Amino acid sequence: MPEIANWMAQVAKDHPDVVTIMDYGQTYEKKTISLLKIGLNTGKKKKAIWMDCGIHAREWIAPAFCQYFVWQILEEYKSAPKMQEMLKNMDIYVTPVLNIDGYVYSWRDNSTRLWRKNRSPGPSGCNCTGVDLNRNFNANWGSIGVSSNCSSDIYCGTQPASEPETHAVTYFVGTRKEDFLCFLTIHSYSQLLLVPYGNPNFTASNYDELMKVGLAAAAVIKSVHGMNYTVGTSPDVLYANSGSSRDWARLQGIPLAYTFELRDKGKFGFQLPEDQIKPTCEEAYAGALFIVTYAHDKTFSGAVCSDPCC
Ligand SMILES: [Zn+2]
């Protein structure tokens, strides 16, 4: 975590024209939650893209991916007119590690390596720790695929957004929700692109679009290293759940909300070998960029039109 924090400071220092660090909350253990805002200051109101990594502590490939994503965006920005145009029209907000307390705990030793939740204490009188932050958002909270037992790995907390980490995202995104075109939350593992909603009783109004864009992104991912990613709602391709940040984002009106479940499909699981970090990031970057570009072009199509009649 200190390395990632230092890296964030260095990126902002090296790219003052395009990168800003923003602090937007605190964890239970009072660690500052920060994001990198990537975009050009045009003086105009801009649209926005959200990406968070590391909401689940043990999914170590996710924070690695957020760093790769930022690095690659900045590389493309140097020479690609398309990226320069996108950073004029949109700000990309990237949180490399959302669940900092849990992430640090998962690095402590082998006995904590597979920790998932945050590190807040359970209800008084209970000897348990941690809430599953991806069951704690105000989206059909507590309805399905959760536990009310605080020792469970999918404990949803005492009420929606009871946790400071959930509150930080809810406040930051919720107060700018009309700006956000896209909300991407990065997990591992299973090689999936999940669309809203986790509760099978609800269907997103733009389900067809979410699936079309998701399937196209999966095809782009496959073209990089041949890996298969499955696209669908949680209940269709994984399991039903409630209180996820993706579902919350969609309920806020953010049209393109996706959960990425990165490599692998279970051979190594959360303990993905080092030699798979780079290829995993390369293919997921291509998929994420596809979705971000789609979101951009749908809103700013006039800006990229080469037809003399438009
Ligand atoms: Zn996860």
Side-chain angles (χ1 to χ4, degrees):
M1 192 62 223
E3 270 184 49
I4 295 173
N6 288 339
W7 169 82
M8 289 174 75
Q10 191 65 44
V11 168
K13 198 173 155 212
D14 291 347
H15 304 85
D17 53 326
V18 67
V19 180
T20 318
I21 291 195
M22 297 176 76
D23 300 336
Y24 68 99
Q26 279 196 330
T27 66
Y28 171 74
E29 294 175 355
K30 303 290 179 211
K31 296 198 179 73
T32 301
I33 306 172
S34 306
L35 58 74
L36 294 173
K37 175 186 175 186
I38 308 166
L40 291 162
N41 188 355
T42 59
K44 290 190 192 125
K45 188 134 173 67
K46 297 173 72 179
K47 289 295 181 185
I49 303 288
W50 177 266
M51 179 184 288
D52 65 78
C53 292
I55 189 172
H56 284 146
R58 62 193 174 189
E59 299 167 5
W60 285 5
I61 187 62
F65 173 69
C66 261
Q67 293 168 82
Y68 181 89
F69 180 79
V70 168
W71 177 74
Q72 197 62 35
I73 294 271
L74 293 171
E75 278 298 302
E76 287 203 28
Y77 166 70
K78 285 180 196 163
S79 56
K82 179 70 185 179
M83 184 59 74
Q84 293 163 5
E85 181 206 339
M86 290 208 288
L87 295 182
K88 275 183 196 152
N89 291 327
M90 307 189 300
D91 292 317
I92 305 178
Y93 295 91
V94 181
T95 303
V97 185
L98 177 55
N99 176 11
I100 299 171
D101 299 348
Y103 185 67
V104 169
Y105 186 68
S106 74
W107 274 84
R108 197 187 75 183
D109 58 44
N110 284 340
S111 73
T112 63
R113 171 66 185 85
L114 295 179
W115 188 257
R116 169 179 167 98
K117 302 186 285 180
N118 75 348
R119 293 295 298 162
S120 70
S124 62
C126 298
N127 182 25
C128 54
T129 303
V131 168
D132 182 347
L133 296 174
N134 208 37
R135 301 290 182 278
N136 188 235
F137 282 76
N138 190 12
N140 302 309
W141 179 85
S143 62
I144 195 167
V146 299
S147 174
S148 53
N149 179 339
C150 64
S151 62
S152 165
D153 247 358
I154 52 170
Y155 173 51
C156 60
T158 52
Q159 59 180 345
S162 58
E163 303 310 294
E165 298 86 356
T166 311
H167 177 78
V169 173
T170 297
Y171 184 80
F172 188 92
V173 176
T175 52
R176 301 162 170 78
K177 60 188 177 187
E178 64 286 346
D179 297 343
F180 281 96
L181 302 173
C182 179
F183 185 103
L184 304 177
T185 180
I186 314 299
H187 293 245
S188 73
Y189 58 92
S190 288
Q191 295 174 207
L192 307 170
L193 298 181
L194 300 174
V195 306
Y197 290 106
N199 184 317
N201 297 326
F202 300 91
T203 301
S205 58
N206 65 334
Y207 172 83
D208 291 345
E209 179 189 35
L210 284 160
M211 286 299 292
K212 184 191 79 176
V213 175
L215 287 165
V220 170
I221 289 171
K222 184 163 187 172
S223 74
V224 179
H225 293 297
M227 300 307 273
N228 286 308
Y229 273 61
T230 304
V231 186
T233 66
S234 261
D236 284 350
V237 301
L238 187 61
Y239 43 65
N241 63 22
S242 57
S244 71
S245 65
R246 174 205 62 235
D247 284 2
W248 174 82
R250 186 64 197 83
L251 287 169
Q252 292 295 304
I254 300 172
L256 296 160
Y258 292 90
T259 304
F260 278 55
E261 296 280 0
L262 303 178
R263 291 195 198 182
D264 57 10
K265 287 190 162 180
K267 185 178 180 194
F268 298 102
F270 303 115
Q271 291 156 298
L272 193 68
E274 220 170 313
D275 64 2
Q276 291 200 43
I277 297 173
K278 190 157 179 268
T280 301
C281 289
E282 287 166 349
E283 67 201 14
Y285 176 79
L289 184 65
F290 178 86
I291 296 171
V292 168
T293 305
Y294 173 88
H296 173 271
D297 291 355
K298 192 180 171 189
T299 305
F300 299 98
S301 54
V304 291
C305 184
S306 55
D307 181 344
C309 302
C310 70

